[in-house]
Amino acid sequence: MKYYSLNHNSSPTSFMKAVINGLAPDKGLYFPQEKVILSKDFIESIKNIDDVEICYEVMNKYVGDEIPKQKLIEIINNTISFKIPLKKIEDSIYSLELFHGPTLAFKDIGAKFMAQCLDYFKSSYSSKKITVLVATSGDTGGAVAKGFSGTKDIEVCILYPKGKISKVQERQITTNGDYVKAIEVEGDFDKCQSMVKKAFNDEEIIRKIALTSANSINVARWLPQMFYYFLAYKKINNKKDNLFSVPSGNFGNICAGILSKSMGLPIHHFIASTNVNDTIPRYIKEGLYEPHSTKKTISNAMDVSDPSNFIRIQKIFNSDLQRLRKNVSSFSFNDTETEDVMRLLYNSFDYLTCPHSAVGYLGLKKYMDVNKISNVNGIFISTAHCIKFKDVVENSIKTSIKYPKSIKDILNKEKKSLSIENYSELKDFLLSRV
Ligand SMILES: *Cc1c(COP(=O)(O)O)cnc(C)c1O
C-alpha cells in the first residue's frame, strides 16, 4: 500500500516511510492510496474467526508486504493483549470499554502497534540510536511510554506540562524503565508541543540524533484503532442497527471507525460527541468550518478546536457534506451536563465513567432521543478508566473511588523526571544523550 499526502505536494510513499515520517514532507497527513474492501463472506463469518485473525485481515492490506505475515500477527497479538468488553448498561445502550490496557486508555492500542512497527523498521531507518520525542497533554505520554517497553535501542522522551496532568497520568509517564525520559515543563501543553516542533526543525539536532515523533496522526496509530470496531461487532449477536458514539477530540478514533465502515463493517451511524470545543458539531449543522479558541474542560483529552484527523474524514466522504451528515451526527456538551450524567450513570446503573466516556454516553442518548430511535445496538466508547480522572469523577459522583491494584503499585514507585523551563535546556539534554 502506498500513502499519499492530503496536501498533495509530496510524492506517495511506503507504509514504512509514512510510519517513520509521521507527517508528509509537505506537512500533510498521509492517507492510503487504495480503497480496501473486505469480502461479505469475511464480515458474515466474523463471529467464528479468532480475534487476531480478524485484526490481521483488517490490517494486512494497509501494511502490504512491508512486514511479513508472521511478524504482523505477532505485533497484533501484542497490541490486543487485554480484554475489550462490551457491557450492557440499559436497554439498547452498551459501553465498549477500551480502558483495560496498560495505561487505562484506548491510546494504548495505537501506541503499542506503532512502537512495534518502528522497532521492526528501525534498522532500515538509521544506524543511529532512535529517539522518540513527544509532547503530551495527559494520555498519550503514558501510552507511548508503555508502548515502547520491550523494544530495543529506542529512547522515548516525553514532555508534559508541570501540574497540569492528573496524578495517575504523571506516574504512568515518570515511573518507567530507563528507556523513558520524562521531562516536566514549566508551562502548558502548547509550550511542550512548540518545543517538540522546534527540536524537529533544529538542524544541529537532526544531524546528530535520529528523531522520530509518536504523533497521533501517524498512520500506525490511526489504523489499528479499527480493531475494536470489528471486535465489538464480533460480540453482537443480533441484526439490529449498530450506532457508535465516539468521544472525540482530534477525531482519530472516530475516523478509524468511519474507515471500518467504508471497508464493509455494518455500522449504521456514528455520533461524534464533543465537549464545548464544538467546531465539528457546528460544521455539521451549519456547513462552516470555524474553529474558536480552545476551551479548558473536565474532559481535557478532547480540548481540541481544530481536529487534525477531520481532513481524513472529509476525504472518506469526498468532502460531501450531505454524505457526512448521513453517516455522522455530532453534539457537544458542557461540563455541568458531563458531571450530571456521570452522577446519573453511577446512581442509576452503578456504572463509573471518566468524563470523556460520559460525553460519549450523552451524545448517544441525544441522538436516539432526537431521532426517536430505540431497539438498536447503541454503543458508546469508553475511552479511559475513571481512575485517571479521579478528582473530577469523585467531585461529580460525591463519593470517593478506590485505586485498582495496578495503579496503587505505580503510585508507590518513585517519580523520575527532569524539570526544564525552556527550549535550550531541552536541546542540551537531547545533545547530551548522543
Ligand atoms: C485522546 C482521547 C480522546 C480523543 O480521541 P481522538 O482520537 O483524539 O478523538 C478521548 N478520550 C480520551 C480518554 C483520550 O485520551
Side-chain angles (χ1 to χ4, degrees):
M1 176 72 82
K2 289 262 190 249
Y3 289 81
Y4 68 99
S5 163
L6 289 173
N7 279 357
H8 302 286
N9 281 319
S10 305
S11 31
T13 193
S14 61
F15 176 71
M16 178 181 93
K17 276 284 173 58
V19 173
I20 290 168
N21 294 346
L23 269 182
D26 65 5
K27 310 283 180 222
L29 269 67
Y30 284 115
F31 196 84
Q33 203 160 37
E34 287 154 51
K35 205 168 167 191
V36 177
I37 310 265
L38 297 167
S39 74
K40 272 216 166 69
D41 273 2
F42 169 73
I43 301 286
E44 277 165 16
S45 51
I46 258 184
K47 307 209 178 340
N48 307 315
I49 305 177
D50 170 71
D51 287 0
V52 174
E53 212 172 302
I54 293 173
C55 299
Y56 174 77
E57 217 37 60
V58 169
M59 202 63 195
N60 86 76
K61 294 262 182 356
Y62 292 100
V63 174
D65 57 8
E66 295 179 55
I67 299 179
K69 179 169 181 180
Q70 270 322 308
K71 183 69 195 175
L72 184 56
I73 285 179
E74 180 193 318
I75 290 176
I76 290 170
N77 212 352
N78 292 333
T79 303
I80 55 164
S81 58
F82 49 87
K83 59 180 183 250
I84 301 179
L86 184 64
K87 280 212 180 123
K88 184 166 181 178
I89 306 299
E90 54 182 303
D91 272 354
S92 298
I93 308 275
Y94 300 81
S95 165
L96 181 64
E97 296 185 348
L98 301 184
F99 54 71
H100 298 281
T103 70
L104 312 180
F106 80 93
K107 290 188 173 68
D108 282 327
I109 292 175
K112 188 79 196 172
F113 189 88
M114 185 193 63
Q116 295 176 91
C117 290
L118 273 177
D119 192 41
Y120 179 75
F121 290 137
K122 74 181 173 219
S123 54
S124 335
Y125 169 44
S126 171
S127 52
K128 291 181 256 182
K129 179 170 168 177
I130 294 177
T131 298
V132 174
L133 183 63
V134 65
T136 183
S137 60
D139 283 338
T140 298
V144 169
K146 277 285 180 295
F148 280 89
S149 69
T151 62
K152 283 202 191 74
D153 302 325
I154 298 181
E155 186 164 88
V156 183
C157 291
I158 300 168
L159 275 67
Y160 69 95
K162 181 176 179 177
K164 294 199 168 58
I165 64 176
S166 80
K167 191 168 170 188
V168 173
Q169 287 172 329
E170 182 179 63
R171 290 291 149 147
Q172 287 175 337
I173 294 168
T174 58
T175 59
N176 296 285
D178 284 341
Y179 72 98
V180 177
K181 305 292 171 209
I183 302 178
E184 184 175 58
V185 178
E186 196 71 57
D188 57 11
F189 169 65
D190 291 324
K191 183 167 170 190
C192 298
Q193 197 156 35
S194 86
M195 283 163 75
V196 166
K197 278 197 184 141
K198 217 164 167 179
F200 276 93
N201 288 316
D202 188 316
E203 286 188 11
E204 189 184 357
I205 288 188
I206 302 174
R207 206 167 358 99
K208 295 183 176 161
I209 304 171
L211 265 196
T212 186
S213 92
N215 209 298
S216 72
I217 45 81
N218 195 301
V219 293
R221 275 187 63 184
W222 169 46
L223 296 170
Q225 299 179 112
M226 290 190 290
F227 293 165
Y228 37 76
Y229 292 94
F230 282 86
L231 296 177
Y233 178 69
K234 176 182 172 174
K235 293 196 167 81
I236 295 168
N237 47 20
N238 62 53
K239 294 233 178 300
K240 297 175 193 172
D241 286 350
N242 302 309
L243 319 177
F244 278 91
S245 172
V246 189
S248 296
N250 231 347
F251 281 66
N253 196 0
I254 193 170
C255 184
I258 294 169
L259 189 65
S260 306
K261 178 174 179 174
S262 81
M263 292 164 69
L265 189 68
I267 297 178
H268 186 73
H269 200 76
F270 290 93
I271 299 113
S273 303
T274 74
N275 58 32
V276 291
N277 294 289
D278 61 350
T279 307
I280 303 306
R282 283 187 290 108
Y283 173 73
I284 290 184
K285 196 163 166 214
E286 296 153 18
L288 284 175
Y289 190 91
E290 272 182 341
H292 296 162
S293 56
T294 308
K295 297 182 193 81
K296 261 179 91 94
T297 74
I298 54 169
S299 48
N300 60 10
M302 312 198 298
D303 291 353
V304 180
S305 54
D306 190 6
S308 2
N309 280 291
F310 192 63
I311 186 170
R312 286 182 169 141
I313 296 179
Q314 292 285 58
K315 184 69 219 166
I316 297 173
F317 295 121
N318 267 324
S319 302
D320 179 340
L321 185 58
Q322 294 317 321
R323 267 184 74 195
L324 175 67
R325 283 176 175 151
K326 231 182 123 210
N327 288 279
V328 185
S329 299
S330 190
F331 304 107
S332 82
F333 302 92
N334 64 32
D335 282 353
T336 312
E337 292 169 301
T338 308
E339 287 170 335
D340 287 348
V341 89
M342 278 195 277
R343 192 162 51 249
L344 176 125
L345 281 166
Y346 179 64
N347 290 336
S348 308
F349 305 106
D350 198 19
Y351 193 64
L352 282 166
T353 59
C354 86
H356 312 79
S357 316
V359 169
Y361 174 83
L362 278 167
L364 179 61
K365 289 294 264 192
K366 176 142 183 184
Y367 175 78
M368 289 172 66
D369 261 7
V370 169
N371 295 286
K372 305 200 170 33
I373 290 174
S374 59
N375 204 22
V376 289
N377 302 312
I379 299 166
F380 67 98
I381 292 193
S382 288
T383 47
H385 193 293
C386 60
I387 208 72
K388 291 193 93 168
F389 305 91
K390 190 171 187 283
D391 296 347
V392 171
V393 175
E394 288 180 337
N395 188 39
S396 307
I397 65 170
K398 316 285 181 215
T399 306
S400 62
I401 48 179
K402 287 204 186 88
Y403 285 113
K405 165 122 186 25
S406 64
I407 293 293
K408 262 197 210 144
D409 291 347
I410 68 162
L411 290 177
N412 290 329
K413 280 193 187 169
E414 187 195 350
K415 163 182 163 183
K416 280 190 212 137
S417 67
L418 171 76
S419 288
I420 64 170
E421 284 179 16
N422 54 45
Y423 178 69
S424 76
E425 287 176 276
L426 174 64
K427 181 167 177 171
D428 288 347
F429 172 76
L430 289 172
L431 292 176
S432 75
R433 316 287 310 157
V434 185

